[in-house]
């Protein structure tokens, strides 16, 4: 009996074993895998470049990249073109704004190839170039929406914009062919080849982009248009002789004039008197040619003091950027204050005082903030308690660059005149995303300068502009008048470095900066590329 | 000792009382100190004939009269017995009679300390660290030479950095592979990382938190390549094999064990901040109130930990079930870790013991609450920074705006962060003896976790700057991580006349799927934090079914159109965005993004162990690993190893001086692919935000608008990616004197890691700022490890032993021809973008590059590469324990030496004697030292050497009646982190910031607002019945 059961057990056991083995082996064979990943949350391509997956989405990516991060905020591109000039200095305040010495290095022109602003601006600009190149490749045909020709024309404009900045700041433009493997060494465009590259892109852009005239909805101007492409065409030709190391060529200047005239032909004109600061609000105006959906916060908070009114920003201003007194004094009017009636023109803005502060301006001025500052109810503001709560009086001069002793705190807290164009209480508030990139006054001044460089007298043009802005007429226009006029009109719009270089003023000494050599007009190639790409040659002096 | 003597007496008596000789059938009962022992293997020596004991420990075997029986059972000392004609042999086996017979679990098998060819250290439950233990690594901290274990902070459940024999990779992850009951566990965090609601990045949680430390039987640390190469591509950082307790020693009647611990913790150290009066005296602004902000956010925390287990060994198998509950409070308010774990371990033998079925499964639920604490907070800081800098003359009013600074009371009151994680890890194995020599084993493993994190900032929050103020902002992050394992191994064991062969071949397949959603919402019509989380969840639940087949969707006003839309972003059939009917949701903006990706690993492996004359031991292994993280050209990596050990003590020429003397030589190649991420070899396109720091497709602006959706590649692909390889050479000696009363080991090793996988800035133009590349350079780690153990006193009533280990490791990057890469980012006011460390050839990893400070406190303008690094050269541990009658006591010290710590906290908050609206350290203010610059400099670089009394404990075993219900009752009192000897000026030099990468590189030894490490006291009770 017992034996029998044992035998049966054995038979059963053998059967079970057999089934188990089969069951076990089946998954083994099925699970032998080719180890290929599947596109469960992304589109995966291992075939080499086959065109971008969606042209519309990729063009939006270009626009977002230009609006975001180091191309859109106060760092990177903006810092290198503003803080490196006589428009802004960022002194340390206590430990704030120390940031490893980077703001002072930019102002003093003591940067090196590792400065994060240099590296990040370079990376982001170059990513726009390669991403646009991929869109422009003939293999790219798919789009989830929009018109392919127009989208590609937008990509041409964005690429031209990015190449222009790389050329302007580094003079060498890496170019990667998306059809080659990523391990390939990118070739490098310089000088005329780079300019030709930009001009070809802009011609494609002008051909493919819509004509958006002055009266069209402001929303249409956040995308590239014929006018924005022409604006960049003018800009590139105006600066071309700098990039080539030659003198201004009349034919190039004529390109500038023709491009600006074509913009004017679409109705763009100077904003009427009294509307200067409205240009920077999101409503439509006569001047805005191209704006970027970048937050205006980085154009407001870096310069405003902690205790100034700060709607929708419970943290308050960042008390960093201040302008230099010599820049402030380019304007007419009382050199020590900027209240209403101080003889200033419209562009210098004004500071509300006990009588003019109200719930509309919140006590925050426009343009240049100097002297005693006020609360919106007219109460004079004080600085923070840590400096004994002294009256919040912005000085004309920035006297110190860096905190070195406890007594410096009070000085640094209120040192320097604050300068900005985007009022936090405009439509959309301080969190609006509307940064003006190109506007007609810039085009207008480019034309005046082109005329000047061709030997014509731009006096009428300059005085017409000044009359609109409420400034007195000039008797003559010299080279330095032109530069000064550009400063007065275009301050804090990211153009000062380019202007100073074109007028040969970038290397001179100014407050908290010594005179430097011409090598500093060009930034160093970031180390990873300088070492890794033999087609790039580190710029002189680095 | 006592037991051993008794056992020998019993054995002798059994010999004496056996009177029948020359019998052919031998029967008997095998027992241990608890009674009959089922499942013991009895083999006739020199044959394959064998039986096992039944439920009552009885056995019966037919043998020749001159046979020798070998009684063996895992966890017990084997005994040999000559039959000599007896037909009844009763025997009592002793647990762990000799530590040299101690079983060491290695990859795909076990060995003994005596027979190990590689450098393998095993720590068993008796030697585990005691006190408040929230994760398994803490159990073995300081126990083994060459293993550096650093908790990243004092936060319950915080990540732990574990380095075996130095740092071999230049990526975030240098963790060893953890294998739990045969299932290799992914090192990736299983708790949802979460969106940034304005806090900054917090350190990842420890992925091993789900294991109940009380369930762990032993942890084997495989250090050298000959031991780890069986795990091939995952072995380069060492392997830790965790074995959980089985029911084997539960006895045939079953046994319950209950333990409970109560712990109180408080910060071990706090800053010497000025109180309100001192602050005013030194010129600070008097705002009329008085608050000790450290006191306000810190607390005496209470924790409890209870475990109930049942174990039974019923002969043909055994079972152990446990239930554990832990509630651990952190020393900062709003910090809590609650864990419920259940475990079931089953082992069953069937078909005359030919088939062994094993199941080990654990399920755990972890609820985790975190405060507003971040490692990357900027100028206004997190809760800790705010508490350190806040004016002590403020009152603790959560609604008081302290702009531009943050108000700690506000951050405590209006931020909530809860994570719930459920994880199941199970392993089913079937081991079948096809013949006496040949067996096959199938293992199926499943590791499944579901995690959900809700981070809420109420509309009352101040100074966040991202739109949370007045609107409320919340993020829900869901992560499902699922890994399946299938392993099939064949084992062949054969004893020849003078040699033994043990060969293994196997196949392994494991996949790793991670999927989930990141949900962000802003604009809540509620001020209740829990309600906000529910509103967001409802908004998600009411919309996620309205779209299908999407990568992302958003409901709200889109920035590009200014229209209120429901926009759906899909990838298939082609990338497109569509709009659908706008659902009504109770929030202003909702952004949802999903991810779902799977990686696979397929491996073939083999190992041969060959032993000649029980003196010469040879091991060779080979593993071929294929990974879906690499392109078709480089998918497979081959990882061989070889080892040789020579038991010199078995040689006659050595004599009797040494009870143990063994030489070990080994070599092997292992690989590493951790931290590489998904699909970096291929071009991948997704809907993506333009800010590379935000990984979701849609973001919500401070104006509560959704950003314009864009698509782009998400990596700059590198089809040439291949395995990072580590070649390791090792040489070691094990020795024992005086019958192993004094024993130790010394090991020398050299590890060379080549084809280093680095996340570099690609040559421009590149579609993405970083790309993984194999860099032609070598990281060399070489060092010496020494472990010593001495039984100082061994008497019946009194035992005392001491254990010391020390390891020296030298790390250097050689043949590196790329541009030096800056790393070691600092955070805090005035430090944005500042780096302190650099990756440069000819130096250690984590070498500092800083401005030097001269004796007049002038800070140099430019940074210099220093000969100082964040890696310790020497790690050491010393423990001693004594027992006297029913009392036990132990002490454990650990130390690290030779590294430098950058005091980021001092630099950011206490850089100079500023005083006014922000508080400062009394020592800093009264010192009057003013630097010429507060930029990062060597002024804030300090030696990190420390010795810590990690734990001390006393326990008492209550004497019990032998026949009582209670078999064992033990009380214990232990303290952790009792004192710290260090010259470091901050709170604690033991910091880890390795999970905060800069430029794709990790950092080390940067101290910034670490969650304070607590000092704890634990009262425990442990009862067996």
């Amino acid at each position: 009996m017992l034996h029998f059961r044992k035998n049966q057990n054995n038979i059963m056991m053998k059967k079970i074993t057999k089934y188990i083995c089969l069951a076990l082996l089946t998954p083994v064979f099925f699970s032998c895998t080719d180890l290929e990943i599947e596109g469960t949350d992304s589109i995966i391509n291992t075939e080499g470049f086959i065109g971008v997956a969606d042209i519309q989405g990729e063009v939006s990516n270009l626009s977002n990249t230009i609006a975001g991060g180091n191309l859109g905020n106060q760092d990177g591109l903006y810092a290198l073109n503003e803080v490196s000039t006589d428009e802004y200095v960022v002194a340390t305040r206590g430990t704030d704004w120390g940031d490893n010495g980077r703001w002072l290095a930019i102002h003093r022109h003591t940067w090196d190839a590792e400065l994060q602003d240099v590296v990040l601006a370079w990376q982001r600009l170059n990513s726009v170039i390669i991403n646009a190149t991929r869109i422009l490749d003939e293999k790219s045909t798919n789009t989830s929406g929009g018109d392919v020709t127009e989208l590609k024309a937008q990509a041409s404009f964005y690429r031209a914009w990015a190449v222009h900045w790389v050329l302007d700041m580094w003079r060498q433009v890496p170019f990667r062919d998306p059809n080659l493997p990523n391990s390939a060494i990118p070739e490098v465009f310089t000088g005329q080849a780079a300019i030709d590259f930009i001009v070809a892109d802009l011609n494609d852009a002008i051909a493919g982009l819509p004509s958006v005239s002055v009266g069209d909805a402001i929303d249409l101007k956040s995308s590239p248009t014929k006018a924005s492409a022409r604006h960049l065409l003018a800009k590139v030709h105006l600066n071309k002789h700098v990039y080539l190391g030659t003198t201004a060529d009349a034919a190039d200047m004529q390109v500038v004039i023709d491009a600006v005239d074509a913009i004017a032909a679409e109705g763009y004109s100077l904003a009427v008197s009294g509307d200067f600061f409205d240009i920077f609000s999101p409503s439509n105006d006569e001047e805005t040619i191209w704006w970027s959906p970048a937050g205006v916060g980085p154009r407001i908070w870096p310069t405003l003091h902690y205790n100034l009114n700060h709607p929708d920003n419970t943290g308050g201003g960042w008390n960093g950027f201040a302008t230099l007194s010599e820049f402030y004094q380019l304007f007419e009017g009382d050199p020590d204050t900027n209240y209403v009636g101080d003889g200033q023109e419209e562009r210098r803005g004004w500071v509300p005082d006990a009588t003019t502060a109200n719930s509309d301006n919140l006590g925050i001025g426009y343009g240049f903030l100097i002297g005693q500052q006020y609360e919106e109810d007219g109460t004079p503001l004080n600085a923070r308690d840590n400096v004994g709560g002294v009256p919040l009086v912005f000085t004309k001069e920035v006297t110190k660059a860096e905190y070195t002793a406890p007594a410096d705190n009070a000085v640094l807290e209120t040192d320097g005149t604050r300068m900005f164009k985007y009022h936090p209480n405009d439509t959309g508030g301080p969190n609006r995303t509307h940064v003006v990139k190109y506007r007609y006054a810039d085009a207008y001044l480019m034309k005046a300068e082109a005329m000047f460089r061709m030997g014509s007298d731009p006096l009428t043009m300059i005085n017409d502009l000044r009359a609109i802005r409420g400034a007195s007429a000039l008797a003559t226009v010299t080279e330095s008048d032109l530069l000064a006029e550009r400063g007065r009109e275009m301050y804090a719009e990211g153009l000062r470095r380019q202007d100073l270089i074109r007028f040969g003023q970038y290397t001179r000494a100014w407050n908290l900066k010594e005179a430097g050599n011409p090598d500093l007009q060009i930034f160093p190639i970031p180390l990873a590329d300088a070492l890794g790409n033999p087609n790039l040659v580190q710029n002189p002096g680095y | 000792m006592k037991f051993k003597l008794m056992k020998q007496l019993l054995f002798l008596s059994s010999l004496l009382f056996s009177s029948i000789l020359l019998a052919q059938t031998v029967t008997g009962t095998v027992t241990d100190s608890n009674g009959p022992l089922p499942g013991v293997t009895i083999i006739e020596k020199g044959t394959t004939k064998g039986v096992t004991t039944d439920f009552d420990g009885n056995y019966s075997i037919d043998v020749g009269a001159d046979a020798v029986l070998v009684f063996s059972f895992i966890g017990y000392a084997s005994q040999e017995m000559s039959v000599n004609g007896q037909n009844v042999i009763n025997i009592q086996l002793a647990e762990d009679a000799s530590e040299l017979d101690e079983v060491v679990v290695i990859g795909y098998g076990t060995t003994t300390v005596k027979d190990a060819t590689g450098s393998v250290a095993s720590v068993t439950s008796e030697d585990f660290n005691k006190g408040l233990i929230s994760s398994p690594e803490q159990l073995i901290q300081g126990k083994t030479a060459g293993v550096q274990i650093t908790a990243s902070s004092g936060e319950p459940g915080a990540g732990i950095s574990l380095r075996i024999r130095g740092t071999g990779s230049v990526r975030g992850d240098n963790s060893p592979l953890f294998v739990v009951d045969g299932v290799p566990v992914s090192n990736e965090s299983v708790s949802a990382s979460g969106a940034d609601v304005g806090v900054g990045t917090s350190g990842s949680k420890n992925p091993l938190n789900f294991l109940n430390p009380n369930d762990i039987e032993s942890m084997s640390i495989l250090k050298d390549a000959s031991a780890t190469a069986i795990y091939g591509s995952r072995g380069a950082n060492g392997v830790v094999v965790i074995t959980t307790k089985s029911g084997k020693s539960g006895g045939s009647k079953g046994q319950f064990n209950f333990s409970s611990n109560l712990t109180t913790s408080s910060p071990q150290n706090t800053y010497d901040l000025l109180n309100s009066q001192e602050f005013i005296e030194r010129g600070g602004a008097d705002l009329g109130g008085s608050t000790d902000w450290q006191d306000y956010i810190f607390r005496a925390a209470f924790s409890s930990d209870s475990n109930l287990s049942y174990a039974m060994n019923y002969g043909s198998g055994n079972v152990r079930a446990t239930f554990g509950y832990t509630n651990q409070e952190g020393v900062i308010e709003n910090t809590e870790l609650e864990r419920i774990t259940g475990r079931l371990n089953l082992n069953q033998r069937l078909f005359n013991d030919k088939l062994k079925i094993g199941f080990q499964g654990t399920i755990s639920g972890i609820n985790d609450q975190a405060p507003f604490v971040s490692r990357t907070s900027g100028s206004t800081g997190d809760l800790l920074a705010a508490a350190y800098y806040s004016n002590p003359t403020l009152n603790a009013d959560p609604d008081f705006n302290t702009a531009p600074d943050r108000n700690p009371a506000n951050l405590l009151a209006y931020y909530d962060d809860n994570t719930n994680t459920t994880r199941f890890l199970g392993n089913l194995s079937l081991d079948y003896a096809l013949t006496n020599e040949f067996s096959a084993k199938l293992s199926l493993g499943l590791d499944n976790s579901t995690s959900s994190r809700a981070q809420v900032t109420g509309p009352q929050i101040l100074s966040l700057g991202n739109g949370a103020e007045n609107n409320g902002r919340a993020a829900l992050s869901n992560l499902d991580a699922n890994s399946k394992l299938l392993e099939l191994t064949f084992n062949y064991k054969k004893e020849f006349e003078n040699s033994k062969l043990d060969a293994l071949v196997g196949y392994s397949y494991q996949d790793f799927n991670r999927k989930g959603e990141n949900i962000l919402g802003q604009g809540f019509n509620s001020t209740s934090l829990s309600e906000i989380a529910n509103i967001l969840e409802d908004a998600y639940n009411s919309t996620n079914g309205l779209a299908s087949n999407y990568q992302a969707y958003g409901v709200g006003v889109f920035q590009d159109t200014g229209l209120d839309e429901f926009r759906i972003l899909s990838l298939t059939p082609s990338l497109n965005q569509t709009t659908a009917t706008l659902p009504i949701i109770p929030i202003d903006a909702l952004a949802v993004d999903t991810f779902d990706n799977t990686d696979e690993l397929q491996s073939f492996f083999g190992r041969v162990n060959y032993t000649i004359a029980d003196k010469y031991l040879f091991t060779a292994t080979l593993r071929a690993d294929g990974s879906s993280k690499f392109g078709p050209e480089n998918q497979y990596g081959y990882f061989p190893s070889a080892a040789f050990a020579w038991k010199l003590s078995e040689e006659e020429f050595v004599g009797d001086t040494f009870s143990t003397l063994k030489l070990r030589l080994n070599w092997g190649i292992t690989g590493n692919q951790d931290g590489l991420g998904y699909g970096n070899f291929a071009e991948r396109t997704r809907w993506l935000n333009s800010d590379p720091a935000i990984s979701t497709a849609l973001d919500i602006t401070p104006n509560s608008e959704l950003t314009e959706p864009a698509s782009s590649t998400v990596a700059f692909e590198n089809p040439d990616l291949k395995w990072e390889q580590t070649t390791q050479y090792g040489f070691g000696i094990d020795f024992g004197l005086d019958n192993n009363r004094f024993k130790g080991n010394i090991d020398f090793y050299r590890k060379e890691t080549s084809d280093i996988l680095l996340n570099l800035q690609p040559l421009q133009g590149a579609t993405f700022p970083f790309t993984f590349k194999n860099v032609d350079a070598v990281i060399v780690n070489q060092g010496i490890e020494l472990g010593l153990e001495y039984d100082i006193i061994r008497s019946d009533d009194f035992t005392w032993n001491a254990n010391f280990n020390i390891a020296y490791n030298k790390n250097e990057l050689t043949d590196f021809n790329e541009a030096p890469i800056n790393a070691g980012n600092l955070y805090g006011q005035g430090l944005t973008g500042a780096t302190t460390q650099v990756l440069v050839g000819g130096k250690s990893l984590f070498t500092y590059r800083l401005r030097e400070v001269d004796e007049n406190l002038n800070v140099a303008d430019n940074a210099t590469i220093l000969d100082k690094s964040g890696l310790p050269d020497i790690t050491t541990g010393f423990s001693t324990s004594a027992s006297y009658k029913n009392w036990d006591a132990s002490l454990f010290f650990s130390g690290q030496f030779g590294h430098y710590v950058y005091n980021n906290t001092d630099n950011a908050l206490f850089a100079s004697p500023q005083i006014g609206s922000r508080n400062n350290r009394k020592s800093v203010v009264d010192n009057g030292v003013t630097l010429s610059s507060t930029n990062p400099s060597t002024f804030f670089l300090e030696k990190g050497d420390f010795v810590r009394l990690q734990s001390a404990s006393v326990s008492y075993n209550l004497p019990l009646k032998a026949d009582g219900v209670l078999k064992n009752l033990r009380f214990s009192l232990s303290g952790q982190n009792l004192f710290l000897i260090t010259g470091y000026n901050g709170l604690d030099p033991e910091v880890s910031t390795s999970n905060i990468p800069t430029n794709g590189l990790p950092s080390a030894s940067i101290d910034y607002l670490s969650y304070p490490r607590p000092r704890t006291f634990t009262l425990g009770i442990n009862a067996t019945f």
Side-chain angles (χ1 to χ4, degrees), chain A residues 258-504:
Chain A
D258 293 347
V260 175
D261 287 347
I263 294 169
E266 289 181 307
Y268 295 93
S269 64
L270 296 173
V272 298
S273 285
D275 280 2
F276 182 70
F277 288 101
D278 291 341
I279 296 167
F280 306 99
S281 79
S283 54
N284 202 8
D285 57 75
E286 298 91 332
E287 293 210 7
T288 304
I289 294 170
W290 174 42
W291 59 274
S292 167
V296 300
R299 298 285 172 276
I300 298 173
W301 307 122
T303 195
L304 292 193
H305 186 272
Y306 320 106
N307 287 0
L308 281 161
N309 218 328
H310 41 78
D312 291 341
N313 174 15
T314 53
W318 308 343
N319 202 35
F321 287 33
T323 192
L324 306 187
S325 75
E326 64 171 273
F327 189 77
Y328 177 62
Q329 289 177 65
L330 289 177
F331 290 85
E332 54 197 61
D334 189 322
D336 295 309
T337 56
N338 197 23
Y339 300 115
V340 176
D342 277 343
Q344 70 274 49
E345 55 151 300
E346 187 183 354
R347 294 175 298 194
R348 204 175 80 172
W350 56 284
V351 178
D353 59 15
T355 57
T356 50
N358 58 36
S359 59
D360 192 32
N361 57 46
L362 304 173
I364 304 165
Y366 290 83
F368 289 77
L369 309 185
I370 185 170
Q372 175 67 51
Q373 304 295 306
Y374 292 86
E375 185 52 80
E376 68 173 275
D377 62 4
T379 317
L381 283 168
N382 291 331
R384 290 185 305 170
D385 304 317
N386 62 334
V387 296
V390 298
L392 185 60
V393 177
F394 293 137
T395 62
K396 190 167 69 178
E397 295 290 340
V398 175
T399 53
K400 269 194 89 65
E402 219 173 341
Y403 169 94
T404 52
D408 295 339
N409 272 328
V411 178
L412 287 162
E413 175 114 1
T414 56
D415 234 14
T417 302
R418 310 309 160 91
M419 178 177 89
F420 75 130
K421 280 177 164 164
Y422 292 84
H423 197 277
N425 208 33
D426 255 333
T427 317
N431 292 327
R432 64 187 186 267
T433 48
H434 184 96
V435 168
V436 177
K437 287 285 199 191
Y438 288 167
R439 63 185 179 96
Y440 184 70
D442 182 21
Y444 183 90
L445 286 169
M446 286 198 285
K447 179 181 173 183
E449 187 183 330
M451 286 167 61
F452 178 84
R453 293 190 190 276
M454 288 170 84
S456 314
D457 187 359
L459 182 66
T460 318
M461 278 188 81
I462 297 299
N463 278 338
D464 286 352
L465 170 69
R466 289 179 60 81
I468 290 172
R469 302 302 191 219
S472 56
L474 300 177
T476 55
V477 173
T478 63
E479 195 174 296
S480 70
D481 290 332
L482 267 178
L483 174 64
E485 201 60 45
R486 281 194 66 83
R488 286 185 288 261
E489 180 67 36
M490 301 306 298
Y491 65 87
E493 294 189 56
L495 295 172
R496 188 63 174 172
R497 175 184 154 275
Q498 202 175 64
D499 290 348
L500 287 174
I501 290 173
R502 201 167 62 251
F503 286 93

Side-chain angles (χ1 to χ4, degrees), chain B residues 601-654:
Chain B
L601 203 56
Q602 172 167 264
S603 319
F604 304 89
F605 53 88
R607 175 173 54 210
V608 176
N609 284 323
Y610 189 60
T611 308
I612 301 171
D614 205 29
K615 283 182 199 164
Y616 312 104
L617 314 165
F618 299 88
T619 302
T621 69
L622 175 68
R623 179 158 176 143
D625 264 352
S627 167
S628 64
K629 288 188 179 182
F630 302 104
E633 305 293 309
N634 301 312
Q635 266 177 349
Y636 280 89
Y638 301 92
F639 306 101
S641 81
F644 166 64
W646 181 13
K647 288 194 211 168
L648 278 165
S649 44
E650 305 283 318
E651 301 284 0
E652 278 173 20
F653 62 81
V654 170

Side-chain angles (χ1 to χ4, degrees), chain A residues 166-182:
Chain A
V166 175
L167 180 67
D168 189 90
M169 294 165 73
W170 291 276
R171 296 290 194 274
Q172 302 178 63
V173 187
F175 182 82
R176 182 182 288 280
D177 181 348
N179 291 299
L180 296 177
N182 281 348

Side-chain angles (χ1 to χ4, degrees), chain B residues 26 49 106 384 439 456 571 590 633 671 728 977:
Chain B
V26 181
K49 191 192 291 175
I106 55 170
L384 280 162
S439 67
V456 180
L571 294 167
L590 170 72
E633 305 293 309
Q728 187 174 171
N977 194 14

